[in-house]
Amino acid sequence: HTCPRDDKLGAAYVDTIQGEDFVGPANVMLSYTWGYKIKDIVKTLEDKCEADKRDPKRTYVWICCLCNNQHRVGEDVPFEQFRDIFGTGDIFGSIVTSVGTIWSMPAEQKKAMIESFSHIDSLLNALAKTTVENAKASREEDKKNILALVEESVGHAELNIIVNKSVRKSIIGVLKEEEQLRARESGDTSTDTDYAFLCYNIGSVLSRLDDLNEALEMLNKALAICEKVLGKEHPNTAT
């Protein structure tokens, strides 16, 4: 196939397919690492469509290995061409926001993420130091182009805020998803002390993330279970 952008031999995968059921303007950007298995990426996208009630046939995903022309990898890309590929305006704001809500992540990664919430203060301190200018790229020229595009669109400072909010939103989403999953798996949540412990931990994390209404709901669930199972005078209930 000939690339429609430069008329040279060799095209991106996305340029070789047709039909609105298979290709269209991207409305989701998928962030991944080379270590992910294809089945995990597919399952994650399926879960995302189901959770958001998206039509899979109209969910168009931008993924670099399929949308970038791999025949040109390694070549220096002029900034003007880079801008044409990645778009203008508020693209970084919309992309990072979608990434924040997207990852519905693979099960093993989600488990590790939840376990890490016991160190929530360390995570919050790291988020407070979010600085996109310190991001790393495999090619220095790519980093320069990305930062230049960010600066002419939303700006570095605003993107730092967007990333921070987006990660917080992702954390909250993962916690709520886990609570709903454990509730479905429990035979009776009203007497399930493991479920109560989970609700307590989730409530504590949500309070640190300033999601106070949701935090109170989780903590009240935990309290109600402990009062019913352990009694109001039990140390775990009273504290």
Side-chain angles (χ1 to χ4, degrees), residues 133-202:
E133 298 94 316
N134 293 336
K136 296 181 179 180
S138 56
R139 287 165 47 84
E140 188 61 29
E141 190 65 25
D142 288 346
K143 177 179 177 179
K144 288 170 58 179
N145 282 337
I146 291 170
L147 292 179
L149 187 54
V150 169
E151 188 56 34
E152 78 168 24
S153 55
V154 296
H156 296 153
E158 181 62 23
L159 184 57
N160 286 331
I161 294 172
I162 292 171
V163 169
N164 195 303
K165 289 181 178 179
S166 194
V167 173
R168 287 171 180 262
K169 186 176 180 180
S170 287
I171 293 172
I172 291 172
V174 168
L175 290 173
K176 291 179 179 178
E177 195 175 284
E178 182 67 12
E179 182 271 327
Q180 292 167 4
L181 174 63
R182 297 281 279 274
R184 290 194 298 269
E185 293 177 344
S186 176
D188 180 6
T189 57
S190 69
T191 58
D192 189 337
T193 53
D194 288 337
Y195 174 72
F197 183 67
L198 174 69
C199 288
Y200 173 79
N201 285 337
I202 290 177

Side-chain angles (χ1 to χ4, degrees), residues 24 26-30 45 59-63 67:
N27 47 36
V28 169
M29 179 180 177
L30 188 147
L45 290 172
T59 301
Y60 302 114
V61 181
W62 192 97
I63 176 171
C67 297

Side-chain angles (χ1 to χ4, degrees), residues 76-185:
D76 287 335
V77 179
F79 176 69
E80 291 73 18
Q81 183 180 343
F82 188 90
R83 182 199 288 119
D84 291 340
I85 293 173
F86 289 95
T88 55
D90 292 332
I91 183 170
F92 280 93
S94 61
I95 282 177
V96 175
T97 299
S98 68
V99 170
T101 57
I102 162 187
W103 283 109
S104 291
M105 48 187 79
E108 290 184 4
Q109 188 176 358
K110 183 187 294 184
K111 180 181 178 181
M113 183 177 181
I114 291 172
E115 290 175 350
S116 74
F117 291 152
S118 59
H119 307 290
I120 187 64
D121 287 334
S122 298
L123 176 59
L124 292 177
N125 288 334
L127 285 175
K129 300 174 183 176
T130 301
T131 309
V132 296
E133 298 94 316
N134 293 336
K136 296 181 179 180
S138 56
R139 287 165 47 84
E140 188 61 29
E141 190 65 25
D142 288 346
K143 177 179 177 179
K144 288 170 58 179
N145 282 337
I146 291 170
L147 292 179
L149 187 54
V150 169
E151 188 56 34
E152 78 168 24
S153 55
V154 296
H156 296 153
E158 181 62 23
L159 184 57
N160 286 331
I161 294 172
I162 292 171
V163 169
N164 195 303
K165 289 181 178 179
S166 194
V167 173
R168 287 171 180 262
K169 186 176 180 180
S170 287
I171 293 172
I172 291 172
V174 168
L175 290 173
K176 291 179 179 178
E177 195 175 284
E178 182 67 12
E179 182 271 327
Q180 292 167 4
L181 174 63
R182 297 281 279 274
R184 290 194 298 269
E185 293 177 344

